[in-house]
DNA sequence: GTTCGTGCAAAAACTTTGCATTATC
DNA sequence: GATAATGCAAAGTTTTTGCACGAAC
């Protein structure tokens, strides 16, 4: 299901706009359309190419350059988070209204499962502090076989 | 300090060679030189470009294509591990004879600090188990500002 | 009206590939 | 001698950039 139902488009655009105003940037038609596309998308983790595909048949088209530039601004605005799953391209994910979470990825079927553990967050801060490091964010991925795949062919 | 002192070049080449033989691949002069360069390198995390630099002035030269191809084989052989730090290029690291560890990366100067926490490992297994997930490996990166950069310009 | 954003195509950065030649087993 | 590896340059990917034109504030 698309996420438009779960997430309030207007609220998100407002948040984006207030960020833009604070930075003396402009809310353009393209930026608005990009946000709408992201909210309407099936995938929770998408790349620049996914957006590009969606704009391919629509007009007015939104160009590649604009998409890349907008994704950067959306990350700065805290609306998107950027991920690296070891693929050759970057993936993004809506952070709006969600708690921070990390990921388990099934190496057999590619499913991504999200999890959150306060205990883990605390431990990470502790490790960083011990090394005099001032953490801004982190990325944790656990790779393995998910429940379903394990049931199907347990070897 | 280079790591040649810490790591046994001959042992590593033997391991590599036995992998190659098992796969009916060949131990060429270039592959041998690449392994030696990696052992002699200062950096613990390096990219294809780092190796390329080292071969730039030496002859016979080892070509870009050969380096990329060799890195792939070395990962398959379990001699190198591949990482993704959200940069535009892949980094590699010797896995030989080292305990598993995770990484902190300074987003200002790019320094990578390693850490290991048993507590963290245990917690990850616990989280995975709770979700019926059978973990094979994981990757954890904490991003932030390192001690030195923090001292220099603390804003 | 100023400043910022867009589209386009060109460039950049990194990696892969095709192919004739050479080395290893 | 068969098979795999190399070097080179060319092509692929994904992302970034320069610049003239257009849109937002």
């Amino acid at each position: 299901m698309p996420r438009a139902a779960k997430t309030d488009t207007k609220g998100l655009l407002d948040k984006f706009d207030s960020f833009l105003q604070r930075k003396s940037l402009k809310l353009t038609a393209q930026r608005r359309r990009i946000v709408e596309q992201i909210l309407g998308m099936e995938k929770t983790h998408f790349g620049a190419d996914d957006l590009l595909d969606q704009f391919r048949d629509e007009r007015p088209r939104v160009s590649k350059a604009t998409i890349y530039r907008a994704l950067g601004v959306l990350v700065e605005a805290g609306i998107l988070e950027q991920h690296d799953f070891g693929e050759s391209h970057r993936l993004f994910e809506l952070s709006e209204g969600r708690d921070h979470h990390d990921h388990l990825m099934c190496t057999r079927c590619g499913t991504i499962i999200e999890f959150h553990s306060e205990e883990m967050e605390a431990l990470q801060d502790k490790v960083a502090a011990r090394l005099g490091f001032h953490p801004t964010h982190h990325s944790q991925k656990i790779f393995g076989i998910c429940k379903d795949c394990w049931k199907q062919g347990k070897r």
Side-chain angles (χ1 to χ4, degrees), chain A:
Chain A
M1 72 213 134
R3 276 167 302 165
K6 283 199 261 175
T7 313
D8 173 21
T9 308
K10 181 163 181 312
L12 194 55
L13 279 172
D14 284 350
K15 176 180 175 182
F16 190 26
D17 195 24
S18 78
F19 170 83
L20 293 171
Q21 287 190 23
R22 216 176 321 129
K23 296 272 189 177
S24 308
L25 302 177
K26 292 164 185 174
L27 181 56
T28 62
Q30 287 89 334
R31 287 178 177 168
R32 208 168 311 172
R33 290 183 61 213
I34 288 170
V35 170
E36 285 161 4
Q37 283 289 347
I38 290 172
L39 285 172
M41 211 154 21
E42 297 282 331
K43 291 183 171 179
T44 51
H45 297 78
F46 59 91
D49 50 323
D50 293 316
L51 283 171
L52 199 49
D53 278 348
Q54 307 213 30
F55 287 119
R56 201 171 303 282
D57 311 313
E58 296 192 21
R59 77 197 141 284
R61 291 193 53 213
V62 176
S63 75
K64 196 174 13 178
T66 297
I67 291 175
Y68 277 105
R69 288 188 275 232
L71 287 171
V73 178
L74 284 163
V75 169
E76 275 188 71
I79 288 174
L80 294 182
E81 273 175 41
Q82 210 179 93
H83 289 289
D84 252 295
F85 288 96
E87 316 209 335
S88 53
H89 60 309
R90 270 168 268 174
L91 293 183
F92 297 86
E93 171 183 27
L94 261 185
S95 53
E96 180 62 12
R98 317 190 60 202
D99 286 338
H100 170 74
H101 58 272
D102 292 303
H103 299 90
L104 292 149
M105 186 183 206
C106 177
T107 50
R108 197 167 295 168
C109 67
T111 298
I112 293 174
I113 303 173
E114 299 174 349
F115 72 91
H116 175 81
S117 159
E118 273 311 330
E119 218 180 326
M120 189 89 81
E121 304 287 320
L123 190 50
Q124 288 178 345
D125 287 346
K126 202 172 101 185
V127 167
R130 191 160 61 212
L131 295 160
F133 198 91
H134 298 257
T136 53
H137 61 288
H138 67 260
S139 149
Q140 173 165 25
K141 315 253 150 56
I142 301 178
F143 298 93
I145 312 291
C146 73
K147 207 190 226 167
D148 293 345
C149 287
W150 188 261
K151 250 187 296 184
Q152 282 175 29
K154 51 173 8 163
R155 69 185 141 269

